[in-house]
């Protein structure tokens, strides 16, 4: 069999440089993710698969090499679909099968299977764009990927280093170029100019916020943010912190959004004083959390739930003034449908605030961006954020059209419509984007004239604690009800139910991670002490009775 004019021999010969190690790989919620030195064969093969995906859709496909907030020695890879979405679920299985084929012949068989099942026209061209984060293993992994793409004769554009959301943006721009949905110029300048133009409309004529300290986790966000600042000039005051991208061992180490959120601590490597405004990106700049030190020297975190609430509150206000009527498929018209999608990790106070103060529907989904994204698409304005700071706001085509065609009867109404339109430009529609989300927060705070304290005072978080427990087999834990309960092991769920009853506002759940070889334990209660107690009781039981490995969980500091 020939693969669109390429011989099986040619593919096998190229693959010989990347033998598969004795490892089992899984394409999970974040693509493939493991130690960087275990990934060359996966990269080569994902190159082959990207070509097939591009051929079958007749579109450009993206490949991003990153392990996000995970340690520097890890790496990973994921495919990006034409509009910047995550890979179609049925292809995750193909990816897993291809990566695990033990020999070159088995690899070719696996390719043939995809070609036959998906009826892939092998004689059409393929186009793939590639980027990576700052990880030291990235260089070699890009080379393996390019070897896979080249042997299949793909048209390749290698952007070198980009943030994950920038790569998603490029893919969407390339695929929509020259269509009514044209998203922008597929260059970093195109990306910066688009965000800047949208941001400027919100802040023009308003008092400028004080300096924002941005912890870039010593990752790719640092150089990219510096490029944005050059474009924005005096219109924003940002101090780039933790920008040591070439110093070994620094990436995500005791800094970045994941560290700050998980441990509720300020990052190392930057000064934080009362009065400072600060935020942290993660290693590939798709997550962001804000924080400050209050006058009592207490660390205050504004996580993804607070960002969702800030965005939803502002959008609800604008929608009310704009009074937009959206045309529906059945010929009727109705007001904007706004929803905020959350997961079990959302702080209970945020859900309560959204549902009962803002009166907005709050559906829950399983953990993982693809689930949230899917649910958010059901609304005209679908806000979704994970508590960890990954999220965005999606606008339906019908809503965008209505913003474009509705004329305000008063200057106030006109302004509200313009603001909603501006949000569709400012917010990355492809994927959660820390840089775009940062500008969204800065824009709303500027328009509202709010400090971080004022934003934080919208509701008070319930104290919470999240822990990781390493166990010998995390597949024994099976979640139901949007991850809030365990179907198995039953006896563990019974223990959790009994423990939770002992604490006012108690809530606790156990869930196996999809990206790390650990189980996550989340607990919430009326006081920090109770949240910790509840968590460490359950974490201890998971460790003791369900195959704990390594160190028994204990307080972080
Ligand atoms: P896992 O490791 O499956 O919990 C983590 C995050 C997800 C999502 C993915 C993708 C938490 C509790 N989990 O997944 O929300 O962001 O990483 O990177 O934050
Ligand atoms: Zn990330």
């Amino acid at each position: 069999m020939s693969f669109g004019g390429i011989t099986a021999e040619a593919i096998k010969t190229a693959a010989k440089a990347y033998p598969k190690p004795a490892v089992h790989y899984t394409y999970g919620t974040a693509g493939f993710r493991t130690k960087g030195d275990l990934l060359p064969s996966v990269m080569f093969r994902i190159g082959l698969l990207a070509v097939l995906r591009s051929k079958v859709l007749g579109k450009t496909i993206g490949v991003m090499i990153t392990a996000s907030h995970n340690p520097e020695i890890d790496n990973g890879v994921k495919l990006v679909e034409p509009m910047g979405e995550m890979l179609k679920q049925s292809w995750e299985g193909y990816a897993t099968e291809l990566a695990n084929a033990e020999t070159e012949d088995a690899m070719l068989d696996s390719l043939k299977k995809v070609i036959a099942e998906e009826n892939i026209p092998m004689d059409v061209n393929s186009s793939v764009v590639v980027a990576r984060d700052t990880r030291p293993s990235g260089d070699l992994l890009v080379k393996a990927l390019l070897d896979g793409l080249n042997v299949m004769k793909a048209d390749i554009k290698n952007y070198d280093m980009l943030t994950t959301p920038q790569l998603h943006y490029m893919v969407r721009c390339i695929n929509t170029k020259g269509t009514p949905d044209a998203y922008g110029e597929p260059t970093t300048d195109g990306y910066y100019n688009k965000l800047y133009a949208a941001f400027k409309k919100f802040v023009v004529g308003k008092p400028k916020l004080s300096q924002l300290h941005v912890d870039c986790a010593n990752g790719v966000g640092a150089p990219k943010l510096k490029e944005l600042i050059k474009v924005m000039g005096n219109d924003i005051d940002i101090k780039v912190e933790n920008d040591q991208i070439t110093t070994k061992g620094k990436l995500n180490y005791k800094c970045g959004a994941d560290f700050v959120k998980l441990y509720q601590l300020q990052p190392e490597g930057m000064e934080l004083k009362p009065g400072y405004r600060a935020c942290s990106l993660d290693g590939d700049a798709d997550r962001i959390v804000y924080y400050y030190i209050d006058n009592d020297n207490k660390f205050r975190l504004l996580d993804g739930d607070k960002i969702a609430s800030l965005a939803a509150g502002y959008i609800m206000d604008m929608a009310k003034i704009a009074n937009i009527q959206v045309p529906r498929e059945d010929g009727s018209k109705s007001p904007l449908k706004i929803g905020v999608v959350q997961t079990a990790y959302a702080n209970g106070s945020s859900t309560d605030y959204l549902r009962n103060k803002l009166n907005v529907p709050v559906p829950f989904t399983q953990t993982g961006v693809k689930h949230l994204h899917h649910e958010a698409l059901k609304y005209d304005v679908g806000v979704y954020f994970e508590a960890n700071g990954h999220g965005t706001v999606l606008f339906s085509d019908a809503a965008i059209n209505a913003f474009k065609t509705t004329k305000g009867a008063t200057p106030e109404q006109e302004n509200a419509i313009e603001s909603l339109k501006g949000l569709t430009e400012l917010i990355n529609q492809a994927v959660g984007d820390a840089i775009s989300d940062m500008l969204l927060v800065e824009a709303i705070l500027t328009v509202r004239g709010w400090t971080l304290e004022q934003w934080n005072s919208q509701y008070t978080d319930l104290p919470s604690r999240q822990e990781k427990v390493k166990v010998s087999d995390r597949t024994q834990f099976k979640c139901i009800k949007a991850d809030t309960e365990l179907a198995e092991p039953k006896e563990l769920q019974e223990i959790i139910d009994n423990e939770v009853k002992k604490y006012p506002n108690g809530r606790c759940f156990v869930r196996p991670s999809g990206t790390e070889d650990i189980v996550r334990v989340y607990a919430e209660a009326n006081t920090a002490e109770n949240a910790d107690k509840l968590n460490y009781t359950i974490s201890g039981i998971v460790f003791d009775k369900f195959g704990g490995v390594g160190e028994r969980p204990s307080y972080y500091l």
Side-chain angles (χ1 to χ4, degrees):
M1 179 181 179
S2 124
F3 295 80
I6 300 146
T7 62
E9 254 345 281
I11 302 174
K12 268 167 72 172
T13 307
K16 287 221 162 67
Y18 305 106
K20 179 192 171 288
V23 186
H24 184 82
Y25 302 103
T26 310
Y27 195 102
T29 41
F32 291 112
R33 206 173 274 190
T34 183
K35 301 275 167 283
D37 57 6
L38 293 176
L39 283 167
S41 67
V42 172
M43 294 296 159
F44 178 85
R45 293 164 184 212
I46 209 87
L48 308 181
L49 194 69
V51 166
L52 298 191
R53 190 75 189 133
S54 170
K55 282 180 190 282
V56 76
L57 295 174
K59 297 263 180 342
T60 297
I61 291 296
V63 185
M64 182 71 202
I65 299 180
T66 178
S68 184
H69 56 280
N70 291 135
E72 186 172 297
I73 50 161
D74 289 1
N75 216 323
V77 62
K78 56 184 166 191
L79 291 181
V80 177
E81 297 263 287
M83 290 298 274
E85 324 91 295
M86 314 282 251
L87 179 65
K88 188 178 174 192
Q89 195 141 3
S90 56
W91 279 62
E92 292 181 2
Y94 294 146
T96 298
E97 202 178 310
L98 189 60
N100 289 305
E102 291 299 336
T103 62
E104 279 100 39
D105 281 319
M107 183 192 83
L108 285 182
D109 286 344
S110 166
L111 268 190
K112 281 182 207 159
K113 184 181 148 195
V114 184
I115 294 168
E117 277 184 16
E118 297 291 326
N119 211 357
I120 294 177
M122 289 306 289
D123 47 353
V124 303
N125 288 341
S126 60
S127 156
V128 179
V129 298
V130 175
R132 69 173 182 104
D133 67 13
T134 57
R135 286 180 157 75
S137 57
D139 242 348
L140 203 115
L141 295 180
V142 168
K143 189 179 171 303
L145 172 66
L146 294 179
D147 280 355
L149 293 171
N150 276 320
V151 74
M152 299 300 284
K153 300 201 165 42
D155 287 333
I156 305 166
K157 166 111 184 105
N158 181 3
Y159 282 97
D160 193 23
M161 281 185 202
L162 288 181
T163 70
T164 294
Q166 282 179 328
L167 190 266
H168 285 251
Y169 164 89
M170 300 304 175
V171 173
R172 189 168 175 133
C173 288
I174 292 168
N175 284 304
T176 54
K177 207 170 175 139
T179 74
D181 298 324
Y183 196 60
E185 272 305 307
T187 59
T188 42
D189 272 343
Y191 172 88
Y192 302 129
N193 288 331
K194 176 171 175 155
L195 290 182
Y196 178 39
F199 179 78
K200 214 154 58 175
K201 287 193 193 145
F202 283 94
V203 302
V204 67
K206 313 229 166 43
K208 197 165 134 184
L209 299 174
S210 65
Q211 189 173 62
L212 180 66
H213 296 250
V214 186
D215 155 30
C216 294
N218 297 307
V220 67
K224 299 303 158 187
L225 191 56
K226 286 178 191 170
E227 289 171 9
L228 174 74
I229 294 167
K230 264 198 202 132
V231 171
M232 293 187 68
N234 268 338
D235 282 324
I236 199 153
D237 185 0
I238 286 177
K239 180 149 190 265
V240 176
E241 313 264 13
N242 285 333
D243 60 351
Q244 297 174 52
I245 61 168
T246 51
T247 313
K248 240 184 154 249
K250 284 272 182 187
L251 177 68
N252 293 325
Y253 184 68
K254 295 197 172 175
C255 62
D258 196 57
F259 171 85
V260 171
K261 167 67 186 164
L262 208 54
Y263 301 114
Q264 304 177 37
L265 287 173
Q266 70 183 76
E268 289 191 359
M270 74 184 250
E271 195 183 19
L272 191 62
K273 290 183 179 166
Y276 279 25
R277 298 185 328 114
C279 62
S280 285
L281 319 181
D282 74 338
D284 63 339
D286 61 356
R287 293 184 184 184
I288 183 167
V289 295
Y290 270 70
Y291 46 90
Y292 63 95
I293 303 277
D294 72 10
N295 291 330
D296 300 325
N297 258 322
K298 266 209 149 123
F299 178 78
R300 300 287 180 188
L301 178 67
L302 294 143
D303 62 3
D305 304 333
K306 289 269 177 180
I307 297 174
S309 303
L310 179 74
Y314 179 70
I315 291 165
M316 299 282 283
D317 284 356
M318 291 303 108
K320 207 162 148 200
I321 303 169
N323 194 18
I324 298 250
Q325 294 294 314
V326 184
R328 304 295 171 194
E329 268 167 16
D330 64 1
S332 67
K333 286 188 168 189
S334 59
L336 275 180
K337 273 198 314 189
I338 303 168
V340 182
V341 189
Q342 293 194 319
T343 73
Y345 293 98
N347 194 279
S349 284
S350 72
T351 315
D352 182 56
Y353 172 78
L354 289 162
R355 281 189 180 148
N356 302 319
K357 290 269 164 24
L358 295 186
N359 293 317
V360 64
V362 185
F364 269 64
T365 69
Q366 268 171 276
T367 307
V369 176
K370 67 179 174 211
H371 302 292
L372 289 123
H373 193 96
H374 184 74
E375 187 65 29
L377 287 172
K378 296 180 182 165
Y379 296 85
D380 291 313
V381 187
V383 181
Y384 73 84
F385 269 89
E386 295 182 312
N388 61 35
H390 183 109
T392 190
V393 183
L394 301 179
F395 295 88
S396 70
D397 288 344
I400 295 175
N401 274 335
F403 299 160
K404 283 184 186 156
T405 51
T406 311
K407 275 261 146 276
T410 63
E412 210 195 2
Q413 194 185 357
E414 188 57 28
N415 180 46
I417 297 168
E418 279 305 311
S419 300
L420 290 169
K421 221 191 299 176
L423 290 178
T424 67
E425 292 286 313
L426 183 59
I427 304 171
N428 192 325
Q429 293 297 287
V431 73
D433 179 340
I435 291 181
S436 155
D437 290 338
M438 177 192 80
L439 292 179
L440 169 68
V441 168
E442 295 295 290
I444 298 176
L445 294 180
T446 305
V447 172
R448 297 263 205 219
W450 278 0
T451 60
L452 296 188
E453 288 86 342
Q454 282 168 304
W455 169 19
N456 198 26
S457 69
Q458 299 307 295
Y459 66 85
T460 306
D461 272 325
L462 273 171
S464 69
R465 167 73 50 194
Q466 209 193 121
E467 261 307 326
K468 301 180 184 187
V469 187
K470 199 160 166 48
V471 292
S472 54
D473 174 19
R474 71 188 203 280
T475 61
Q476 64 185 303
F477 302 90
K478 303 242 182 320
C479 294
I480 46 169
K481 300 190 184 165
D483 297 335
T484 54
E485 278 181 33
L486 286 170
E488 284 170 40
K490 270 201 176 61
E491 67 230 85
L492 178 57
Q493 187 56 48
E494 278 163 21
I495 296 171
I496 295 173
D497 291 342
N498 282 330
E499 281 303 313
V500 161
K501 281 185 207 143
K502 297 180 185 165
Y503 304 92
N505 298 104
R507 187 165 73 90
C508 178
F509 64 93
V510 173
R511 174 187 156 269
S513 161
T515 62
E516 295 174 63
D517 188 17
I518 48 133
V519 172
R520 298 191 195 281
V521 178
Y522 179 90
E524 213 171 78
N526 61 330
T527 65
E529 204 195 339
N530 282 344
D532 286 353
K533 248 183 167 164
L534 178 56
N535 189 311
Y536 287 103
T537 306
I538 300 300
S539 292
I541 291 169
V542 170
F543 186 89
D544 295 339
K545 298 196 175 165
F546 298 91
V549 173
E551 253 181 72
R552 195 174 189 276
S554 60
Y555 287 86
Y556 179 66
L557 282 180

